[in-house]
Amino acid sequence: MERSGFFRAMIDNLHDGAYFVDRDRRIVYWNKSAEELTGYPSEEVVGRTFDAGILLHVDEDGNDLCGDLCPLAETLEDGELREAEVFLHHKSGHRVAVAIRVAPVVAVAIRVAPVRDRKGGITGAVELFSENAALMTARARIDELEQLATLDPLTGLPSRRCLEQEMASRVDELARFGRTFGVVSIRVDRMPRIISAFGRDVGDDVLRMVGNTLIYNCRPFDVIGRWGSAEFLGTVVGVERGGLIKVAERLRALIGKSMLPLADRTVSVTVSVGAVMAEWGDTADVLIERAEEMTQRSRGRGRDRVTVWK
């Protein structure tokens, strides 16, 4: 086997996603794991520049990393290795948590290293990204819920019945052991407009996109499911008020940075979020009512924001 063929086969069999770019930022190679982790086949990517609307990395606050903050572009300039926690854009629209080491969203770890010629000049770069423990935990949780037949058939998230059981368990643990938790209520903004403009099928795809962003980016021990037609509800465990706000803001930002691809455009949505910390003596119904009231306040204040019960 030729050396080039050997190395191509070796890279294709890596568990990590990997792609190579030349000095002009054009993607010249995209391995099989990259296809699986992103949903983009090689033929749709090779030949395009890496900043041409493919992965569209953002950080946990929703800040774009494909401009001046792009690790790969920085490595092309200075040849330094880099590491970062980012969230890539899956072809289906949702965000996947990733860890990058420029050497990983949905979380992905990326390792980016410069490629040099014989004189030491930078001729391109390689980026590696792979599933992290949080994503694998999320997938294991999905498999477990599927076995219990407690998933919402549209989004694949825990159903309302499952969430009711989860809330009852958390309230009981708080009363018996003092284990703190918070509740978040997430409503997709202007959903009737989306359905009116694009149809019910696109509306369903938007809900799936939001659901995938939630399930792949919530913390390993938190549970978030579908509560109503365009509403999601979740429990956030082991946090105080500041931690609850951070989780809620992170999910809001990542959903806002998700994009559903259509034939001639993309569709993005925002969400209004309400959150409440559980206190001793609260019931599940009271906590849900407070969280939903805060969601309504977020909507009244202009949408695309988090409001917390005080």
Side-chain angles (χ1 to χ4, degrees):
M1 180 183 294
E2 297 180 356
R3 289 186 63 186
S4 60
F6 169 78
F7 286 117
R8 180 182 295 270
M10 180 179 69
I11 295 169
D12 263 341
N13 284 290
L14 286 175
H15 179 69
D16 291 357
Y19 69 94
F20 293 81
V21 300
D22 60 20
R23 184 65 189 175
D24 296 324
R25 303 187 178 190
R26 198 167 304 280
I27 297 172
V28 296
Y29 187 71
W30 187 264
N31 79 345
K32 294 186 183 301
S33 291
E35 293 182 331
E36 295 172 359
L37 290 169
T38 68
Y40 287 99
S42 176
E43 58 268 21
E44 292 185 12
V45 175
V46 172
R48 300 173 63 181
T49 57
F50 69 78
D51 54 357
I54 303 170
L55 297 182
L56 298 174
H57 296 327
V58 299
D59 62 19
E60 66 176 0
D61 297 319
N63 298 313
D64 294 321
L65 299 178
C66 288
D68 296 336
L69 300 177
C70 176
L72 191 61
E74 290 178 336
T75 291
L76 280 172
E77 291 299 319
D78 61 23
E80 297 293 327
L81 299 175
R82 286 180 169 81
E83 298 186 6
E85 294 285 336
V86 304
F87 300 81
L88 64 78
H89 174 249
H90 192 276
K91 184 181 180 181
S92 298
H94 59 278
R95 286 285 169 181
V96 178
V98 299
I100 56 178
R101 283 178 287 172
V102 163
V105 270
V106 146
V108 172
I110 305 175
R111 296 186 294 277
V112 177
V115 178
R116 300 180 183 270
D117 58 22
R118 292 182 178 179
K119 296 181 179 180
I122 298 174
T123 62
V126 55
E127 179 171 308
L128 304 179
F129 51 98
S130 58
E131 295 176 332
N132 67 7
L135 179 57
M136 291 187 283
T137 300
R139 288 183 172 174
R141 183 166 64 245
I142 292 173
D143 293 339
E144 179 182 359
L145 291 169
E146 285 176 338
Q147 293 174 7
L148 296 174
T150 55
L151 292 187
D152 169 62
L154 176 65
T155 63
L157 291 174
S159 66
R160 185 177 182 120
R161 177 186 174 188
C162 178
L163 290 172
E164 289 171 343
Q165 295 171 347
E166 165 70 10
M167 287 289 295
S169 296
R170 293 303 178 192
V171 168
D172 180 64
E173 289 180 355
L174 175 62
R176 295 174 61 191
F177 308 114
R179 293 174 180 166
T180 61
F181 74 99
V183 178
V184 291
S185 169
I186 302 170
R187 181 177 288 275
V188 181
D189 294 327
R190 299 184 174 90
M191 197 65 197
R193 290 190 185 181
I194 293 173
I195 295 174
S196 176
F198 302 103
R200 173 62 64 178
D201 289 345
V202 171
D204 288 347
D205 287 340
V206 165
L207 293 175
R208 292 189 189 97
M209 176 185 73
V210 172
N212 282 331
T213 297
L214 290 172
I215 195 66
Y216 288 122
N217 294 289
C218 69
R219 303 180 318 159
F221 299 106
D222 298 338
V223 174
I224 297 181
R226 190 180 181 199
W227 187 250
S229 60
E231 183 181 2
F232 301 84
L233 190 79
T235 56
V236 182
V237 300
V239 294
E240 300 297 337
R241 190 172 186 273
L244 176 63
I245 294 173
K246 183 176 181 180
V247 169
E249 287 285 6
R250 177 168 163 267
L251 295 175
R252 179 200 60 79
L254 292 175
I255 291 171
K257 288 295 183 177
S258 299
M259 295 167 287
L260 179 69
L262 302 181
D264 57 348
R265 61 178 299 179
T266 60
V267 176
S268 299
V269 295
T270 61
V271 290
S272 296
V273 184
V276 57
M277 281 298 302
E279 298 180 359
W280 191 90
D282 287 338
T283 65
D285 289 341
V286 165
L287 291 170
I288 294 168
E289 180 180 346
R290 289 174 179 170
E292 290 181 329
E293 181 180 338
M294 294 302 97
T295 300
Q296 288 300 110
R297 290 193 186 182
S298 290
R299 297 178 72 192
R301 293 169 58 206
R303 300 180 172 87
D304 190 23
R305 65 189 63 225
V306 174
T307 306
V308 184
W309 177 270
K310 295 184 179 181

